[in-house]
Structure formats: structure tokens, C-alpha cells
Amino acid sequence: MNLNLDIIVSLAKRRGFVFQSSEIYGGLNGCWDYGPMGVELLNNIKNEWWKSMTYREDVEGLDASILMHPKVWEASGHVANFTDPMVDCKECKARFRADQIEDSMCGSPAYKGRKASKCQAEGKFTEPRNFNLMFKTFLGSVEDSSSVVYLRPETAQGIFVNYLNVASSSRQKIPFGIAQIGKAFRNEINTKNFLFRTREFEQMEMQYFVKPEDDMRYYEFWKEERMKWFTDLGLKKEKLRFSLHPEDKLAHYARAAVDIEYEFPFGWGEIEGIHNRTNFDLTQHQQFSGKSLEYFDDSTKEKFMPFIIETSAGASRSFMTFLIDAYHEEEVKGEKRSVLKFHSKLAPMKVAVFPLVNRDGMQEIAHNITEDLRKSFRAFYDDKGAVGRRYRRQDEIGTPYCVTVDSQTLEDETVTIRERDSMEQIRINMNSIKNYLLEKLN
Ligand code: ATP
């Protein structure tokens, strides 16, 4: 199916996954709000990531603050280098990333549909200038240069500066990792493609500290683990690939880097980066802070600066990826059925319960079933409209199971359970619904 991103954006709004930020004021560019279904999906993604990272012996969790000492960003190189080259159109005042002009359109309504590269060829653009992507603000009541702080553009630095605190408090020994989920902010020049490039987003990052000589072994290990995480949660294998950064394009701190890319409706795009960052970050922070960040190995009595293998995924970008990948349209009895085929671990709502008709006590039974199921997972009660319509509404948000109470329930206490993808129905006793679902959903 040739999927248009607009279908996803509109479904996301209609069914409460994602709304434009401050919509009643015309929206705020590059910012989005997660609605009732969206926040469930996002939490489920983050939960799965958190479990896969920290339910292991060698990785600890962390939640560092968004605002950090400004020197952090000098040491990391962000103050000097976290820039994108920007050009302005002298005519329509639109702003473009100089390295993305080929993919951009002219901003003037007078030339609707015209490629920006044409305007460039006509000499309408300024020379490229470097634009720093960090949001600046002030700490405390005085707004001067000594009180400037930044909204973090990545979560990683909070991990680097805390690694000795984590190691000593949790008695971790190298190799070990630190995982963190949190918001990051980048004043992107061009936001586009829905949640793909936004100004406020969430990252899921894990930094793994190793002996220098072990770096490539763990880089390969995490590369495979991270791809497996996406496919285990149902992303289609043929839509995923590794994209290796060629040696001459590596960031100055990296020894090796690879992106996990997904084939979006607008082309291949990065969803996660796995990087061998060497000892660059710790060396920089040691130098700028004047504090030793070397690791002391008790067993060998060696002191050394660990190398770091980083896995850096966008939670928001993953959210969009899972949403797009799950979207499926088919024809059923002459009607279009849109269904989000989420992995059951990610589905925002796990089960819906319906009385077939609103009489003979069916509603009460369905309510009781819903309340009981809610003790274990998100369950939804619905008695509005024809039952076929109710199934479709659940398909559209990706609910894996629907339970229906009907007249036979009144006779023998059985209900039907319908599975989302196959649409097959079975009858089981009311008392075994929970066990049946617990088994299926896990
Ligand atoms: P890109 O080249 O797409 O700008 P990047 O290489 O700068 O991304 P990283 O700094 O490696 O990205 O960030 C790690 C992850 O954070 C990315 O793989 C992506 O999932 C997410 N991410 C980065 N920037 C954004 C953004 N503006 N909006 C949403 N997610 C983002």
C-alpha cells in the first residue's frame, strides 16, 4: 500500500493519538501533544525500552535534570558546533537548511509548488550562516550572559557527568550501562514530517561504558540488540535497515557509527543511532570540570578512561514509526477496514467489552467484566451503535481483543472474544476471559 502521511496525521488526531500543540491559537510549529491513546502508546514504547534496558544486571537507570551547568555544553562541543547551516530567502523571507534545499519548496504563496533550488539558482538566497540549535534561557531572576542556561539538546550528557555517581552507588563494574528517557529540545530550522523532526521531543538513550580494547565488540553487540528490539515489537523487517556512517563522515568524536533506518512514506529516515563515542566525552568533561573521571579497576589496579558505546533512539520518532508500520487497510464485505496492527505490548487499549444490545441485563454484565479486566489492563466499555461499528472503532486504535456479551451469555455465561487481525471469534466462559487475555497479551 502506498501510504500517505496525511492519513496517519488525520487518524492520529481523530482517534486521540496526537494533537497539534496550542491548536486553538493556530498551533506552535514543531510541537505536538499526545492525546489519550497517544500517551498510552508512548508510555508503552518507553516501558518496553526501559524493561529491555534496565531489567538486566549491567544497566542502571537515571533521570537527570533538563537544565545543566552551561559548561557541560561547552565541554560537549554543542556551544561551538551544534549548528546547522541556514540560508534566508531575500524575497519571501523563508528560512532553509542549506544542506536540505534540494528537498525544500519555495515559501512564497506566489510560487506555490516551486522548488527552493530554483530560487537558489536565481540568487535569491543569502550566504549560509551557522545557526545554533540549542534553546537558551536564563537561570534565576537576572537576565544576563552569566545566567544563560540551555534546554538540553540530548539526554546523553546527564549520563556522562553522572557515571561515577552511578557506578559507586550501584557498585557496577565496567562494562556497564546507564539508561535514561527524557525530553530534549532542538530549535530545528525546518520541522517537518509530523513527529519526525520536532523542536521538543523525547529520547531513549543508553550509554555503555567499556574498556577501550572492548569497544568494537560491544558496538556490534548493541547494534544487533537494538535492531532486534524494533523487530521483536513488530516492525516489518523489510522496512528496516542499517545505514553505516562512512569513515570520512564520522563525527569528530566517533570511531564507528550506524543508524537504524525505517522506510517512511517520505523515504528512509533514521530512528536510532548506535555510536562508538570513544573516550571523547569523558575526557572533555574531565578537562572542563577539573575533576578526574577516570575509572579505577579494583581487580587489575588499573586506571583508565572508559570508551562509550551509545544507543540513541527517539521515543517520539519511534512512536511515529510504530504508528505508521501498524497502519493497515483492507476491504471487508465491501467496506474499508482501517486497523492499527500494533504489537499487543504496545496497543494503547488491550480489550474492549460490548453488550450486544442494551437490554436484558447485558450492559450490567459487560460493565462488571470491564471493571474486573481493568484491574489487569486498559479496558474499554462501549455500548454505542451497531456492534460492527464498535469493532471498527477498536480496530482503528489497534485494540487486540473485543469481548461481546450476547443473549447466549444469559443462558450459559459464555461470551465471544474476537481477535483484531484475523477477526476470528471464539466463545469462552466469562470466568476465563482474564486468563485467556493474560496469556495472549503476554
Ligand atoms: P537527524 O540527522 O535526523 O537530525 P541526529 O543524527 O541529529 O538526527 P541524534 O542526535 O543521533 O540525531 O539523535 C538521536 C535520535 O533522537 C534520532 O535517531 C532521532 O530518533 C531522535 N531525534 C533527533 N532529533 C530529533 C527531532 N528534531 N525530532 C524528533 N526526534 C529527533
Side-chain angles (χ1 to χ4, degrees), residues 147-202:
S147 60
V148 164
V149 290
Y150 302 94
L151 299 188
R152 66 180 175 200
E154 60 177 32
T155 56
Q157 302 300 327
I159 294 181
F160 301 146
V161 300
N162 270 304
Y163 104 95
L164 286 178
N165 283 337
V166 172
S168 61
S169 57
S170 59
R171 291 190 288 134
Q172 283 287 357
K173 301 218 177 324
I174 272 176
F176 76 95
I178 304 175
Q180 175 169 218
I181 299 178
K183 290 252 172 153
F185 304 82
R186 297 182 187 179
N187 201 0
E188 302 277 1
I189 296 169
N190 290 129
T191 58
K192 60 178 176 185
N193 295 328
F194 194 33
L195 305 175
F196 187 80
R197 191 174 301 289
T198 56
R199 294 193 166 119
E200 174 175 340
F201 56 98
E202 230 170 341

Side-chain angles (χ1 to χ4, degrees), residues 287-298:
Q287 194 191 327
F288 278 71
S289 68
K291 301 268 161 32
S292 168
L293 293 182
E294 280 183 321
Y295 176 83
F296 179 68
D297 188 329
D298 271 341

Side-chain angles (χ1 to χ4, degrees), residues 30 34 78 82 84 97 100 133 153-154 184-188 190-192 194-205 230 245 253 258-260 269-275 277 310-318 321:
Y34 292 83
H78 282 80
F82 196 56
D84 276 337
R97 246 174 81 168
Q100 289 180 353
L133 302 184
E154 60 177 32
F185 304 82
R186 297 182 187 179
N187 201 0
E188 302 277 1
N190 290 129
T191 58
K192 60 178 176 185
F194 194 33
L195 305 175
F196 187 80
R197 191 174 301 289
T198 56
R199 294 193 166 119
E200 174 175 340
F201 56 98
E202 230 170 341
Q203 290 189 312
M204 308 186 286
E205 293 197 303
F230 285 108
H245 294 207
Y253 53 76
V258 66
D259 294 337
I260 296 178
E270 170 187 337
I271 52 177
E272 169 156 353
I274 296 102
H275 312 125
R277 300 184 65 111
E310 160 179 84
T311 70
S312 174
S316 337
R317 226 181 250 185
S318 301
T321 312

